[in-house]
Amino acid sequence: MSPRSASVNEELRRRSRERLLQAALELVSERGYEATTLGDIADRAGSARGLVSYYFPGKRQLVQSAVHRLMHRTLEEALEREPRTEDGRERMARAIDAVLGLARDHPMLMRQHMAGILQAEGFMQCPEQQRLAELLSDTMARYGSPDAATDYPMLRALLMGSVYAALVPGVPMPLRTLRAELFRRYRLDWERGAPPGAEAPDGTCHEDLSRFFAPQSREQGREHNREADETDRPGRPE
């Protein structure tokens, strides 16, 4: 059998990593962060347990990367949904609603994410976070910011603060109130985006996280991960 090409090996690694990200999201949503182990994540992904540490230094970074993937793809969906628009104010409204919607639709996951950022490891850079940052920066630029590089961190802080405020146990702020304040700050009409109480844009409420990852069945994922496991072993010739 001829050796696989570099591009095939890269695709196998990508799919293996995606399965781990998806498994992390599913398990933390179901059980919470503390009750989820790296072994649980590897088992759910159909991956060798040692492969987790090949891609991620630890559980905290894996979960942060997984949540940033969810945030990036949720934001991307909101910005690109029909009717598509290049209107900067509409895109800003959609971005705000997409992030606030994560607090509503995935409260445990987002609460665990916010708690993790406040741990000693803090906010970790990863490819998923970078893609999220690029999309929010682009939204800020299209909105009309003369200096998106400076204004983006404030937008990020306001969105993170709003998610935190919505999820504080015992004293959560209503998402409607938080949305009103963000829309006031960015001078957006209430009817833009996806106002609270309105039907979801496609008439459904998505709970299946798998659409954010490589399309493949669980058994396909196990087979790809077995191949990726062998590909990633030290000393294996390309």
Side-chain angles (χ1 to χ4, degrees), residues 42 47-55 229:
S47 171
R49 296 193 180 195
L51 194 59
V52 182
S53 60
Y54 178 87
Y55 294 109
D229 189 18

Side-chain angles (χ1 to χ4, degrees), residues 61-118:
Q61 186 171 54
L62 168 54
V63 173
Q64 277 201 30
S65 295
V67 176
H68 283 137
R69 161 58 68 89
L70 173 64
M71 295 176 72
H72 167 251
R73 292 299 305 279
T74 298
L75 180 58
E76 188 175 58
E77 279 190 351
L79 293 174
E80 299 306 317
R81 73 168 184 258
E82 298 295 339
R84 299 185 66 176
T85 180
E86 296 301 318
D87 182 274
R89 303 178 79 80
E90 172 63 20
R91 292 176 72 85
M92 177 65 79
R94 291 185 183 190
I96 291 170
D97 285 335
V99 175
L100 292 181
L102 288 167
R104 178 195 63 222
D105 298 336
H106 304 283
M108 178 184 290
L109 193 61
M110 296 306 294
R111 188 177 288 118
Q112 298 290 334
H113 178 61
M114 299 303 296
I117 290 175
L118 296 175

Side-chain angles (χ1 to χ4, degrees), residues 2-234:
S2 60
R4 290 190 296 265
S5 68
S7 61
V8 170
N9 283 335
E10 181 62 28
E11 176 63 12
L12 289 173
R13 293 189 185 100
R14 185 187 69 81
R15 293 192 181 192
S16 181
R17 190 175 185 277
E18 295 240 323
R19 291 298 304 166
L20 291 169
L21 291 170
Q22 181 179 347
L25 279 184
E26 292 173 351
L27 288 169
V28 174
S29 294
E30 295 167 10
R31 307 176 185 178
Y33 179 83
E34 296 299 334
T36 299
T37 68
L38 287 175
D40 294 333
I41 293 170
D43 290 345
R44 174 67 67 92
S47 171
R49 296 193 180 195
L51 194 59
V52 182
S53 60
Y54 178 87
Y55 294 109
F56 303 97
K59 183 172 72 167
R60 186 71 68 186
Q61 186 171 54
L62 168 54
V63 173
Q64 277 201 30
S65 295
V67 176
H68 283 137
R69 161 58 68 89
L70 173 64
M71 295 176 72
H72 167 251
R73 292 299 305 279
T74 298
L75 180 58
E76 188 175 58
E77 279 190 351
L79 293 174
E80 299 306 317
R81 73 168 184 258
E82 298 295 339
R84 299 185 66 176
T85 180
E86 296 301 318
D87 182 274
R89 303 178 79 80
E90 172 63 20
R91 292 176 72 85
M92 177 65 79
R94 291 185 183 190
I96 291 170
D97 285 335
V99 175
L100 292 181
L102 288 167
R104 178 195 63 222
D105 298 336
H106 304 283
M108 178 184 290
L109 193 61
M110 296 306 294
R111 188 177 288 118
Q112 298 290 334
H113 178 61
M114 299 303 296
I117 290 175
L118 296 175
Q119 298 299 312
E121 299 95 331
F123 189 79
M124 301 176 188
Q125 300 290 332
C126 63
E128 287 74 24
Q129 185 276 328
Q130 291 170 1
R131 285 190 282 269
L132 173 62
E134 289 168 2
L135 199 52
L136 281 174
S137 294
D138 179 70
T139 300
M140 194 77 250
R142 294 189 189 212
Y143 169 74
S145 167
D147 187 358
T150 298
D151 292 337
Y152 154 68
M154 179 56 69
L155 173 62
R156 180 185 64 196
L158 290 168
L159 291 172
M160 289 176 64
S162 295
V163 170
Y164 179 85
L167 297 175
V168 174
V171 288
M173 289 191 68
L175 286 174
R176 190 179 185 90
T177 300
L178 294 165
R179 182 184 196 262
E181 179 59 25
L182 288 168
F183 270 46
R184 182 196 64 78
R185 180 183 181 89
Y186 289 104
R187 302 183 303 279
L188 303 173
D189 296 333
W190 183 260
E191 293 73 21
R192 289 185 179 272
E199 186 178 37
D202 60 358
T204 63
C205 179
H206 294 296
E207 294 297 336
D208 180 12
L209 299 174
S210 65
R211 75 189 193 283
F212 293 126
F213 300 88
Q216 58 183 323
S217 69
R218 184 76 64 181
E219 285 306 311
Q220 287 176 315
R222 291 179 187 275
E223 181 61 30
H224 283 303
N225 283 334
R226 280 194 292 271
E227 295 178 358
D229 189 18
E230 293 185 3
T231 298
D232 294 330
R233 288 177 184 167

